[in-house]
Amino acid sequence: MATLYQLHSAMDTLRRSTKEIALTWRAGDSILLLGTTVAFIDWLEAYLDESEIRGVGGIYALADDVAQLAASTTAELNLNAKLTRILTDEEWVKMTQDPQFDKVVTIAL
């Protein structure tokens, strides 16, 4: 079984949020970036590298949140290469109910 971490974090709390996730992380867990957190994906990757977090099952973002970014920002971040998938709201709800996840944890610091 795996955990889906829903991460909603400002840039100034992202490192702390990543440390919170690391406390209960298991290989195969996944992260869903909520709100503006998707804009900080490069920083998230750096914090994941310096943490105890290994074996990420997937990193996802919501289509509505990605759409809020400027097209140039989206291209510069190269989200298609860094995200496992961009989800619609309906897909997000289905994911939270997927039996592969025994827990859905929201981190919003």
Side-chain angles (χ1 to χ4, degrees):
M1 302 304 275
T3 300
L4 174 62
Y5 290 93
Q6 299 183 132
L7 180 59
H8 192 275
S9 181
M11 181 60 220
D12 61 340
T13 58
L14 186 60
R15 176 176 267 147
R16 191 171 90 195
S17 297
T18 305
K19 287 180 181 180
E20 289 295 319
I21 290 171
L23 294 174
T24 55
W25 184 266
R26 297 174 294 177
D29 289 350
S30 294
I31 301 171
L32 172 66
L33 305 177
L34 298 173
T36 59
T37 311
V38 69
F40 312 127
I41 191 160
D42 291 334
W43 287 99
L44 175 66
E45 289 178 337
Y47 296 152
L48 291 175
D49 287 344
E50 72 182 28
S51 75
E52 299 295 319
I53 296 174
R54 301 288 180 266
V56 176
I59 299 177
Y60 304 89
L62 298 177
D64 289 344
D65 296 338
V66 172
Q68 297 299 314
L69 300 173
S72 59
T73 301
T74 303
E76 186 175 319
L77 290 172
N78 194 17
L79 293 176
N80 289 331
K82 295 176 184 170
L83 294 172
T84 304
R85 199 159 128 218
I86 298 174
L87 307 171
T88 65
D89 285 345
E90 183 177 290
E91 291 169 327
W92 172 30
V93 171
K94 285 181 183 177
M95 179 178 266
T96 64
Q97 299 169 351
D98 189 316
Q100 74 172 313
F101 298 113
D102 60 331
K103 292 184 284 191
V104 177
V105 176
T106 302
I107 307 287
L109 298 175

XYZ file of all heavy atoms in Angstrom:
849
model
N 0.841 -1.178 0.000
C 0.000 0.000 0.000
C 0.887 1.243 0.000
O 2.013 1.203 0.451
C -0.920 0.009 1.210
C -1.834 -1.212 1.301
S -2.847 -1.484 -0.148
C -4.218 -0.430 0.189
N 0.335 2.322 -0.505
C 1.097 3.558 -0.645
C 0.287 4.738 -0.118
O -0.926 4.642 0.070
C 1.462 3.783 -2.110
N 0.977 5.822 0.088
C 0.360 7.072 0.516
C 0.412 8.062 -0.624
O 1.406 8.128 -1.350
C 1.101 7.651 1.742
O 1.022 6.703 2.807
C 0.504 8.971 2.191
N -0.667 8.828 -0.790
C -0.688 9.952 -1.714
C -0.581 11.214 -0.872
O -1.469 11.512 -0.077
C -1.984 9.968 -2.541
C -2.178 11.185 -3.435
C -1.072 11.271 -4.493
C -3.548 11.150 -4.100
N 0.535 11.915 -1.011
C 0.726 13.181 -0.309
C 0.241 14.303 -1.209
O 0.729 14.466 -2.330
C 2.203 13.400 0.033
C 2.701 12.462 1.089
C 3.298 11.262 0.751
C 2.562 12.775 2.433
C 3.747 10.383 1.727
C 3.009 11.909 3.416
C 3.600 10.717 3.052
O 4.038 9.859 4.030
N -0.718 15.063 -0.730
C -1.206 16.232 -1.449
C -0.476 17.434 -0.844
O -0.694 17.761 0.320
C -2.722 16.369 -1.290
C -3.451 15.182 -1.853
C -4.950 15.330 -1.766
O -5.626 15.098 -2.741
N -5.479 15.709 -0.620
N 0.370 18.038 -1.624
C 1.259 19.087 -1.128
C 0.820 20.447 -1.629
O 0.770 20.690 -2.830
C 2.691 18.790 -1.572
C 3.775 19.769 -1.169
C 3.859 19.899 0.349
C 5.114 19.320 -1.734
N 0.469 21.317 -0.694
C 0.110 22.695 -1.018
C 1.017 23.585 -0.184
O 0.835 23.722 1.022
C -1.360 22.972 -0.696
C -1.842 24.256 -1.277
N -1.679 25.458 -0.649
C -2.466 24.510 -2.445
C -2.208 26.410 -1.407
N -2.688 25.858 -2.498
N 2.030 24.138 -0.840
C 3.062 24.843 -0.101
C 3.544 26.066 -0.863
O 3.708 26.020 -2.082
C 4.237 23.888 0.134
O 5.256 24.513 0.852
N 3.798 27.123 -0.134
C 4.454 28.296 -0.703
C 5.953 28.000 -0.786
O 6.455 27.081 -0.134
C 4.213 29.516 0.179
N 6.655 28.766 -1.565
C 8.097 28.541 -1.734
C 8.830 28.593 -0.393
O 9.718 27.780 -0.136
C 8.658 29.589 -2.704
C 10.135 29.454 -2.983
S 10.526 27.867 -3.720
C 12.025 27.503 -2.873
N 8.433 29.499 0.487
C 9.158 29.657 1.741
C 8.893 28.542 2.754
O 9.602 28.436 3.756
C 8.888 31.029 2.373
C 7.431 31.259 2.717
O 6.554 30.572 2.167
O 7.163 32.157 3.540
N 7.912 27.688 2.507
C 7.658 26.560 3.406
C 7.862 25.201 2.728
O 7.641 24.165 3.354
C 6.217 26.622 3.967
O 5.290 26.616 2.873
C 6.021 27.847 4.831
N 8.309 25.208 1.486
C 8.447 23.969 0.732
C 9.467 23.015 1.346
O 9.220 21.811 1.450
C 8.800 24.263 -0.730
C 8.839 23.066 -1.667
C 7.483 22.363 -1.714
C 9.251 23.509 -3.066
N 10.591 23.529 1.784
C 11.615 22.664 2.402
C 11.050 22.009 3.666
O 11.204 20.810 3.883
C 12.870 23.454 2.727
C 13.905 22.582 3.462
C 15.202 23.285 3.722
N 16.074 22.954 2.593
C 16.984 23.753 2.089
N 17.156 24.950 2.601
N 17.737 23.367 1.090
N 10.378 22.787 4.487
C 9.782 22.253 5.713
C 8.702 21.216 5.390
O 8.612 20.175 6.036
C 9.202 23.384 6.564
C 8.824 22.925 7.957
C 8.474 24.073 8.830
N 7.026 24.283 8.675
C 6.387 25.346 9.056
N 7.035 26.354 9.591
N 5.095 25.447 8.914
N 7.906 21.486 4.366
C 6.876 20.526 3.943
C 7.500 19.220 3.492
O 7.001 18.129 3.808
C 6.026 21.124 2.807
O 5.323 22.256 3.242
N 8.593 19.311 2.753
C 9.296 18.117 2.282
C 9.837 17.321 3.471
O 9.773 16.088 3.486
C 10.430 18.509 1.323
O 9.891 19.310 0.269
C 11.094 17.285 0.720
N 10.330 18.001 4.483
C 10.818 17.318 5.685
C 9.673 16.611 6.409
O 9.861 15.518 6.955
C 11.516 18.307 6.612
C 12.868 18.748 6.096
C 13.528 19.735 7.031
C 14.879 20.162 6.467
N 15.561 21.118 7.350
N 8.494 17.217 6.417
C 7.323 16.587 7.033
C 6.950 15.309 6.292
O 6.633 14.299 6.905
C 6.129 17.554 7.056
C 6.267 18.691 8.028
C 6.302 18.223 9.476
O 5.539 17.313 9.845
O 7.092 18.791 10.257
N 6.972 15.352 4.977
C 6.670 14.170 4.170
C 7.687 13.070 4.454
O 7.333 11.893 4.578
C 6.645 14.524 2.669
C 5.421 15.393 2.349
C 6.649 13.272 1.803
C 5.416 15.964 0.937
N 8.949 13.437 4.582
C 10.019 12.450 4.792
C 9.830 11.648 6.078
O 10.289 10.502 6.161
C 11.376 13.145 4.795
N 9.145 12.211 7.054
C 8.960 11.526 8.338
C 8.185 10.215 8.199
O 8.409 9.276 8.976
C 8.235 12.446 9.329
C 8.996 13.694 9.766
C 8.098 14.584 10.617
C 10.259 13.308 10.514
N 7.280 10.141 7.231
C 6.451 8.946 7.087
C 6.560 8.320 5.694
O 5.784 7.430 5.348
C 4.973 9.274 7.380
O 4.551 10.348 6.536
C 4.783 9.664 8.838
N 7.504 8.774 4.892
C 7.646 8.321 3.503
C 7.993 6.843 3.417
O 8.800 6.334 4.184
C 8.742 9.133 2.810
C 8.851 8.782 1.366
C 9.685 7.868 0.801
C 8.062 9.310 0.308
N 9.465 7.807 -0.551
C 8.474 8.680 -0.883
C 7.041 10.257 0.241
C 7.902 8.973 -2.118
C 6.483 10.546 -0.988
C 6.910 9.914 -2.142
N 7.364 6.177 2.434
C 7.691 4.802 2.083
C 7.904 4.757 0.574
O 7.202 5.447 -0.178
C 6.557 3.843 2.433
C 6.246 3.775 3.915
C 5.041 2.927 4.196
N 3.865 3.609 3.606
C 2.647 3.126 3.600
N 2.396 1.962 4.127
N 1.655 3.801 3.062
N 8.838 3.964 0.116
C 9.057 3.827 -1.323
C 7.740 3.458 -1.992
O 6.995 2.624 -1.481
C 10.112 2.763 -1.598
N 7.455 4.108 -3.109
C 6.213 3.873 -3.837
C 5.142 4.907 -3.561
O 4.124 4.952 -4.255
N 5.347 5.754 -2.539
C 4.400 6.838 -2.272
C 4.451 7.855 -3.409
O 5.436 7.931 -4.145
C 4.730 7.530 -0.949
C 4.415 6.677 0.272
O 3.777 5.621 0.132
O 4.820 7.086 1.380
N 3.379 8.646 -3.531
C 3.284 9.648 -4.596
C 2.968 11.012 -4.021
O 2.507 11.137 -2.881
C 2.184 9.247 -5.591
O 2.531 8.066 -6.270
N 3.214 12.044 -4.841
C 2.978 13.432 -4.437
C 2.108 14.108 -5.479
O 2.378 14.024 -6.676
C 4.312 14.193 -4.303
C 5.216 13.521 -3.269
C 4.058 15.659 -3.945
C 6.636 14.067 -3.232
N 1.060 14.782 -5.009
C 0.215 15.607 -5.861
C 0.459 17.056 -5.471
O 0.277 17.428 -4.310
C -1.259 15.249 -5.674
C -2.270 16.149 -6.356
C -2.152 16.052 -7.876
C -3.682 15.806 -5.922
N 0.906 17.864 -6.419
C 1.188 19.272 -6.163
C -0.086 20.082 -6.353
O -0.704 20.043 -7.415
C 2.278 19.766 -7.109
C 3.578 18.962 -7.094
C 4.556 19.498 -8.120
C 4.178 18.954 -5.709
N -0.473 20.812 -5.328
C -1.695 21.606 -5.363
C -1.377 23.098 -5.447
O -0.371 23.559 -4.900
C -2.539 21.336 -4.116
C -3.028 19.905 -3.925
C -3.703 19.749 -2.559
C -3.981 19.511 -5.043
N -2.253 23.845 -6.107
C -2.111 25.289 -6.192
C -0.826 25.696 -6.884
O -0.400 25.079 -7.858
N -0.194 26.722 -6.344
C 1.025 27.253 -6.963
C 2.252 26.371 -6.715
O 3.313 26.643 -7.274
C 1.324 28.672 -6.438
O 1.467 28.604 -5.010
C 0.227 29.647 -6.809
N 2.114 25.324 -5.929
C 3.245 24.455 -5.629
C 3.878 23.900 -6.901
O 5.084 23.681 -6.948
C 2.818 23.306 -4.691
O 2.093 23.849 -3.592
C 4.021 22.542 -4.174
N 3.094 23.692 -7.934
C 3.621 23.155 -9.194
C 4.710 24.067 -9.770
O 5.637 23.595 -10.426
C 2.492 22.887 -10.215
C 1.874 24.181 -10.721
C 2.987 22.038 -11.365
N 4.640 25.368 -9.499
C 5.641 26.307 -10.008
C 7.002 26.110 -9.341
O 8.019 26.570 -9.858
C 5.173 27.744 -9.800
N 7.030 25.387 -8.231
C 8.274 25.181 -7.479
C 8.825 23.768 -7.672
O 9.592 23.272 -6.837
C 8.053 25.446 -5.991
C 7.324 26.722 -5.702
C 6.191 26.727 -4.905
C 7.738 27.923 -6.256
C 5.504 27.900 -4.640
C 7.056 29.098 -6.007
C 5.935 29.091 -5.189
N 8.467 23.124 -8.757
C 8.850 21.720 -8.959
C 10.368 21.523 -8.960
O 10.864 20.531 -8.439
C 8.201 21.114 -10.221
C 8.406 19.593 -10.210
C 8.719 21.778 -11.489
C 7.476 18.822 -11.075
N 11.122 22.467 -9.505
C 12.578 22.326 -9.489
C 13.119 22.334 -8.061
O 14.025 21.567 -7.721
C 13.244 23.420 -10.323
C 12.980 23.249 -11.817
O 12.745 22.106 -12.256
O 12.998 24.261 -12.539
N 12.564 23.205 -7.231
C 12.975 23.245 -5.830
C 12.553 21.970 -5.114
O 13.316 21.409 -4.317
C 12.378 24.469 -5.128
C 13.038 25.725 -5.554
C 12.592 26.620 -6.485
C 14.293 26.227 -5.097
N 13.504 27.643 -6.622
C 14.550 27.431 -5.778
C 15.228 25.768 -4.165
C 15.694 28.181 -5.558
C 16.373 26.526 -3.945
C 16.591 27.710 -4.643
N 11.344 21.493 -5.400
C 10.885 20.246 -4.798
C 11.840 19.108 -5.136
O 12.235 18.336 -4.254
C 9.468 19.895 -5.259
C 8.955 18.541 -4.768
C 8.784 18.531 -3.257
C 7.659 18.169 -5.471
N 12.225 19.004 -6.394
C 13.164 17.954 -6.790
C 14.479 18.064 -6.025
O 15.033 17.048 -5.595
C 13.405 17.999 -8.298
C 12.206 17.528 -9.109
C 12.431 17.617 -10.610
O 13.286 18.416 -11.064
O 11.743 16.885 -11.335
N 14.955 19.277 -5.837
C 16.201 19.474 -5.079
C 16.022 19.048 -3.620
O 16.894 18.381 -3.048
C 16.639 20.936 -5.159
N 14.888 19.404 -3.020
C 14.634 19.028 -1.621
C 14.436 17.525 -1.483
O 14.845 16.933 -0.483
C 13.432 19.782 -1.060
C 13.626 21.282 -0.992
C 12.545 22.147 -1.078
C 14.889 21.853 -0.845
C 12.713 23.522 -1.018
C 15.069 23.222 -0.784
C 13.969 24.058 -0.864
O 14.132 25.418 -0.800
N 13.827 16.904 -2.483
C 13.682 15.447 -2.457
C 15.055 14.784 -2.504
O 15.305 13.812 -1.789
C 12.823 14.958 -3.627
C 11.341 15.327 -3.588
C 10.656 14.878 -4.871
C 10.644 14.744 -2.367
N 15.935 15.307 -3.338
C 17.289 14.753 -3.460
C 18.068 14.841 -2.159
O 18.850 13.949 -1.838
C 18.073 15.455 -4.576
C 17.611 15.060 -5.963
O 16.908 14.036 -6.100
O 17.950 15.788 -6.919
N 17.867 15.920 -1.398
C 18.626 16.080 -0.144
C 17.946 15.403 1.048
O 18.513 15.351 2.129
C 18.888 17.557 0.153
C 17.690 18.345 0.586
C 17.981 19.815 0.835
O 18.902 20.366 0.219
O 17.264 20.420 1.645
N 16.765 14.871 0.839
C 16.027 14.240 1.933
C 16.207 12.723 1.914
O 16.957 12.179 1.120
C 14.535 14.575 1.806
O 13.962 13.820 0.752
N 15.468 12.071 2.777
C 15.459 10.606 2.851
C 14.426 10.015 1.893
O 14.192 8.805 1.897
C 15.140 10.157 4.275
C 16.144 10.617 5.309
C 17.517 10.001 5.092
O 17.580 8.809 4.768
O 18.512 10.731 5.222
N 13.783 10.836 1.102
C 12.711 10.384 0.218
C 13.308 9.723 -1.013
O 14.014 10.354 -1.790
C 11.796 11.564 -0.168
C 11.090 12.097 1.083
C 10.796 11.150 -1.234
C 10.278 13.353 0.863
N 12.997 8.437 -1.171
C 13.457 7.658 -2.316
C 12.283 6.841 -2.840
O 11.356 6.526 -2.113
C 14.586 6.705 -1.924
C 15.810 7.386 -1.340
C 16.599 8.159 -2.406
N 17.755 8.811 -1.844
C 17.782 10.065 -1.414
N 16.703 10.805 -1.467
N 18.887 10.590 -0.929
N 12.344 6.445 -4.096
C 11.315 5.584 -4.658
C 9.976 6.266 -4.842
O 8.942 5.700 -4.487
N 9.988 7.462 -5.402
C 8.749 8.207 -5.626
C 7.921 7.480 -6.690
O 8.395 7.219 -7.789
C 9.044 9.655 -6.079
C 7.754 10.403 -6.399
C 9.850 10.388 -5.017
N 6.668 7.154 -6.331
C 5.782 6.464 -7.256
C 5.325 7.355 -8.396
O 5.155 6.905 -9.524
N 5.133 8.631 -8.114
C 4.723 9.583 -9.131
C 4.581 10.974 -8.545
O 4.382 11.134 -7.334
N 4.732 11.963 -9.407
C 4.488 13.354 -9.034
C 3.452 13.888 -10.008
O 3.639 13.828 -11.227
C 5.769 14.205 -9.071
C 6.801 13.661 -8.089
C 5.446 15.673 -8.757
C 8.136 14.390 -8.090
N 2.358 14.396 -9.459
C 1.213 14.826 -10.249
C 0.889 16.285 -9.954
O 1.285 16.832 -8.936
C -0.015 13.976 -9.900
C 0.218 12.502 -10.063
C 0.718 11.735 -9.009
C -0.042 11.869 -11.264
C 0.947 10.374 -9.153
C 0.185 10.498 -11.424
C 0.674 9.774 -10.363
O 0.906 8.423 -10.509
N 0.134 16.890 -10.858
C -0.388 18.241 -10.651
C -1.773 18.304 -11.270
O -2.132 17.480 -12.123
C 0.527 19.289 -11.288
N -2.541 19.282 -10.851
C -3.884 19.468 -11.393
C -3.841 20.370 -12.621
O -3.128 21.379 -12.634
C -4.802 20.090 -10.340
C -5.022 19.251 -9.089
C -5.891 20.005 -8.088
C -5.649 17.914 -9.440
N -4.613 20.017 -13.628
C -4.656 20.774 -14.880
C -5.033 22.236 -14.638
O -4.443 23.135 -15.234
C -5.633 20.123 -15.859
N -5.980 22.477 -13.747
C -6.389 23.859 -13.457
C -5.247 24.673 -12.852
O -5.099 25.860 -13.139
C -7.596 23.894 -12.518
C -8.883 23.436 -13.183
O -8.931 23.371 -14.435
O -9.847 23.137 -12.444
N -4.433 24.036 -12.023
C -3.302 24.733 -11.412
C -2.210 25.019 -12.440
O -1.621 26.103 -12.446
C -2.731 23.928 -10.245
C -3.727 23.784 -9.104
O -4.663 24.606 -9.007
O -3.573 22.833 -8.314
N -1.951 24.076 -13.313
C -0.961 24.270 -14.373
C -1.438 25.384 -15.320
O -0.645 26.218 -15.755
C -0.703 22.961 -15.148
C 0.174 23.204 -16.367
C -0.058 21.927 -14.221
N -2.731 25.432 -15.592
C -3.288 26.442 -16.492
C -3.133 27.860 -15.935
O -3.137 28.827 -16.706
C -4.763 26.146 -16.773
N -2.965 27.992 -14.626
C -2.786 29.306 -14.007
C -1.389 29.875 -14.241
O -1.161 31.074 -14.079
C -3.061 29.235 -12.501
C -4.475 28.848 -12.147
C -5.489 29.837 -12.676
O -5.326 31.045 -12.555
N -6.544 29.325 -13.294
N -0.457 29.026 -14.642
C 0.909 29.472 -14.919
C 0.976 30.099 -16.305
O 0.255 29.685 -17.219
C 1.883 28.297 -14.856
C 1.983 27.531 -13.540
C 2.860 26.309 -13.719
C 2.505 28.423 -12.433
N 1.853 31.044 -16.460
C 2.087 31.622 -17.785
C 2.649 30.529 -18.692
O 3.382 29.643 -18.242
C 3.077 32.784 -17.683
N 2.302 30.595 -19.967
C 2.772 29.591 -20.929
C 4.298 29.510 -20.938
O 4.868 28.414 -21.022
C 2.237 29.902 -22.318
N 4.962 30.657 -20.823
C 6.427 30.650 -20.817
C 6.971 29.954 -19.571
O 7.984 29.252 -19.639
C 6.963 32.078 -20.904
O 6.500 32.850 -19.811
N 6.296 30.109 -18.441
C 6.712 29.448 -17.208
C 6.545 27.938 -17.339
O 7.438 27.169 -16.968
C 5.900 29.964 -16.004
O 6.097 31.370 -15.894
C 6.302 29.276 -14.714
N 5.410 27.524 -17.877
C 5.151 26.095 -18.074
C 6.219 25.477 -18.970
O 6.743 24.395 -18.679
C 3.754 25.881 -18.680
O 2.782 26.481 -17.811
C 3.433 24.410 -18.837
N 6.557 26.178 -20.046
C 7.579 25.662 -20.970
C 8.944 25.616 -20.295
O 9.691 24.635 -20.435
C 7.636 26.534 -22.219
N 9.269 26.664 -19.547
C 10.572 26.723 -18.876
C 10.704 25.635 -17.812
O 11.773 25.051 -17.643
C 10.768 28.097 -18.231
C 12.141 28.303 -17.645
C 12.334 29.718 -17.125
O 11.901 30.672 -17.783
O 12.920 29.843 -16.039
N 9.624 25.351 -17.117
C 9.659 24.310 -16.086
C 9.711 22.905 -16.681
O 10.078 21.965 -15.986
C 8.424 24.422 -15.175
C 8.376 25.627 -14.248
C 7.022 25.713 -13.568
C 9.501 25.575 -13.224
N 9.335 22.769 -17.947
C 9.328 21.473 -18.629
C 8.507 20.453 -17.837
O 8.965 19.345 -17.537
C 10.755 20.988 -18.853
C 10.831 19.852 -19.842
O 9.897 19.610 -20.610
N 11.948 19.151 -19.834
N 7.277 20.859 -17.506
C 6.421 20.038 -16.654
C 6.106 18.673 -17.248
O 5.979 17.698 -16.510
C 5.122 20.791 -16.333
C 5.290 22.032 -15.461
C 3.955 22.741 -15.295
C 5.886 21.680 -14.114
N 5.978 18.607 -18.555
C 5.664 17.311 -19.167
C 6.734 16.270 -18.880
O 6.447 15.082 -18.785
C 5.447 17.461 -20.673
C 4.153 18.181 -20.980
O 3.200 18.106 -20.217
N 4.118 18.890 -22.094
N 7.971 16.698 -18.734
C 9.059 15.769 -18.446
C 9.181 15.477 -16.944
O 9.673 14.419 -16.562
C 10.379 16.328 -18.964
N 8.743 16.403 -16.098
C 8.948 16.266 -14.661
C 7.756 15.665 -13.922
O 7.930 15.116 -12.839
C 9.298 17.621 -14.058
C 10.635 18.130 -14.568
C 10.929 19.500 -14.054
C 12.235 19.991 -14.676
N 12.471 21.381 -14.406
N 6.573 15.814 -14.492
C 5.374 15.286 -13.853
C 5.028 13.920 -14.439
O 5.179 13.692 -15.635
C 4.191 16.233 -14.059
C 4.291 17.596 -13.385
C 3.148 18.494 -13.837
C 4.281 17.449 -11.862
N 4.551 13.060 -13.597
C 4.068 11.766 -14.065
C 2.832 11.968 -14.925
O 2.680 11.343 -15.974
C 3.746 10.855 -12.867
O 4.910 10.757 -12.051
C 3.294 9.483 -13.310
N 1.972 12.885 -14.466
C 0.748 13.175 -15.200
C 0.105 14.445 -14.666
O 0.247 14.776 -13.502
C -0.227 12.007 -15.041
C -1.293 11.977 -16.089
C -1.891 10.588 -16.197
N -3.322 10.749 -16.100
C -4.142 9.935 -15.480
N -3.669 8.875 -14.883
N -5.415 10.169 -15.458
N -0.609 15.130 -15.551
C -1.425 16.278 -15.171
C -2.865 15.791 -15.124
O -3.359 15.207 -16.095
C -1.239 17.444 -16.161
C 0.223 17.914 -16.131
C -2.194 18.584 -15.824
C 0.562 18.964 -17.164
N -3.522 15.989 -13.984
C -4.838 15.420 -13.732
C -5.959 16.447 -13.832
O -5.796 17.586 -13.386
C -4.881 14.829 -12.319
C -3.802 13.829 -11.927
C -3.885 13.544 -10.440
C -3.953 12.564 -12.736
N -7.095 16.006 -14.340
C -8.315 16.804 -14.242
C -8.835 16.654 -12.814
O -8.387 15.766 -12.063
C -9.389 16.308 -15.221
O -9.782 14.984 -14.827
C -8.897 16.320 -16.662
N -9.794 17.463 -12.433
C -10.378 17.336 -11.093
C -11.014 15.960 -10.905
O -10.904 15.356 -9.835
C -11.417 18.431 -10.840
C -10.784 19.783 -10.575
O -9.572 19.844 -10.309
O -11.516 20.793 -10.626
N -11.666 15.460 -11.947
C -12.299 14.141 -11.869
C -11.249 13.039 -11.664
O -11.430 12.138 -10.842
C -13.099 13.869 -13.138
C -13.857 12.555 -13.107
C -14.703 12.359 -14.354
O -15.703 13.078 -14.514
O -14.330 11.470 -15.155
N -10.146 13.133 -12.379
C -9.070 12.151 -12.223
C -8.453 12.226 -10.829
O -8.070 11.210 -10.246
C -8.001 12.359 -13.290
C -8.473 12.016 -14.682
C -7.518 12.474 -15.773
O -6.850 13.527 -15.601
O -7.445 11.773 -16.785
N -8.364 13.443 -10.295
C -7.831 13.638 -8.942
C -8.715 12.923 -7.916
O -8.220 12.199 -7.057
C -7.739 15.128 -8.664
C -7.385 15.538 -7.267
C -6.617 14.859 -6.363
C -7.777 16.742 -6.624
N -6.502 15.578 -5.194
C -7.198 16.734 -5.332
C -8.541 17.829 -6.996
C -7.390 17.778 -4.427
C -8.711 18.873 -6.095
C -8.143 18.842 -4.836
N -10.025 13.115 -8.026
C -10.944 12.464 -7.096
C -10.815 10.946 -7.203
O -10.737 10.249 -6.189
C -12.398 12.922 -7.347
C -13.377 12.083 -6.545
C -12.559 14.399 -7.001
N -10.755 10.427 -8.427
C -10.589 8.982 -8.612
C -9.284 8.501 -8.002
O -9.221 7.427 -7.400
C -10.645 8.626 -10.097
C -12.036 8.662 -10.674
C -12.019 8.272 -12.134
C -13.411 8.381 -12.738
N -13.397 8.073 -14.177
N -8.227 9.293 -8.144
C -6.934 8.904 -7.594
C -7.000 8.795 -6.072
O -6.440 7.859 -5.492
C -5.846 9.893 -8.002
C -4.482 9.557 -7.428
S -3.205 10.685 -7.959
C -2.595 9.777 -9.358
N -7.673 9.731 -5.426
C -7.761 9.689 -3.963
C -8.556 8.489 -3.472
O -8.440 8.105 -2.314
C -8.373 10.982 -3.385
O -9.724 11.120 -3.833
C -7.559 12.207 -3.756
N -9.359 7.892 -4.355
C -10.160 6.724 -3.993
C -9.552 5.419 -4.505
O -10.091 4.350 -4.280
C -11.584 6.885 -4.539
C -12.275 8.089 -3.956
C -13.575 8.424 -4.660
O -13.906 7.866 -5.691
N -14.320 9.348 -4.090
N -8.419 5.510 -5.183
C -7.758 4.342 -5.752
C -7.261 3.445 -4.626
O -6.596 3.909 -3.699
C -6.576 4.804 -6.621
C -5.950 3.689 -7.417
O -5.742 2.589 -6.865
O -5.651 3.919 -8.602
N -7.561 2.146 -4.688
C -7.142 1.239 -3.604
C -5.630 1.080 -3.452
O -5.180 0.557 -2.436
C -7.799 -0.097 -3.976
C -8.279 0.032 -5.374
C -8.357 1.480 -5.706
N -4.841 1.543 -4.437
C -3.391 1.474 -4.255
C -2.932 2.390 -3.135
O -1.866 2.194 -2.558
C -2.657 1.824 -5.552
C -2.683 3.308 -5.897
C -1.794 3.671 -7.060
O -0.649 3.249 -7.114
N -2.322 4.433 -7.989
N -3.743 3.411 -2.821
C -3.401 4.350 -1.744
C -4.211 4.007 -0.504
O -5.424 4.096 -0.499
C -3.671 5.797 -2.172
C -2.847 6.240 -3.341
C -3.440 6.526 -4.567
C -1.471 6.361 -3.242
C -2.683 6.922 -5.650
C -0.701 6.743 -4.323
C -1.310 7.034 -5.527
N -3.515 3.608 0.554
C -4.213 3.327 1.798
C -4.411 4.594 2.620
O -5.233 4.609 3.533
C -3.503 2.241 2.610
C -2.078 2.593 2.996
O -1.423 3.353 2.263
O -1.609 2.079 4.028
N -3.665 5.660 2.259
C -3.815 6.951 2.948
C -3.664 8.075 1.946
O -2.866 7.981 0.998
C -2.743 7.144 4.020
C -2.839 6.237 5.201
C -1.794 6.594 6.232
C -0.461 6.077 5.738
N 0.603 6.100 6.700
N -4.409 9.139 2.182
C -4.229 10.393 1.447
C -3.956 11.446 2.518
O -4.775 11.671 3.414
C -5.483 10.772 0.622
C -5.282 12.117 -0.060
C -5.797 9.684 -0.395
N -2.773 12.047 2.451
C -2.336 13.001 3.457
C -2.116 14.350 2.787
O -1.409 14.439 1.782
C -1.010 12.536 4.121
C -0.496 13.567 5.102
C -1.194 11.187 4.777
N -2.721 15.381 3.347
C -2.531 16.726 2.821
C -1.552 17.470 3.704
O -1.723 17.536 4.917
C -3.874 17.491 2.748
O -4.779 16.746 1.927
C -3.691 18.889 2.182
N -0.508 18.012 3.078
C 0.489 18.830 3.770
C 0.300 20.256 3.267
O 0.473 20.530 2.084
C 1.928 18.374 3.464
C 2.124 16.889 3.732
C 2.950 19.244 4.186
C 2.174 16.505 5.171
N -0.087 21.160 4.150
C -0.306 22.555 3.782
C 0.248 23.422 4.906
O -0.441 23.740 5.865
C -1.798 22.842 3.561
N 1.511 23.768 4.793
C 2.173 24.589 5.826
C 2.315 26.011 5.341
O 2.446 26.306 4.207
C 3.548 24.018 6.156
C 3.559 22.607 6.737
C 4.986 22.114 6.903
C 2.848 22.568 8.057
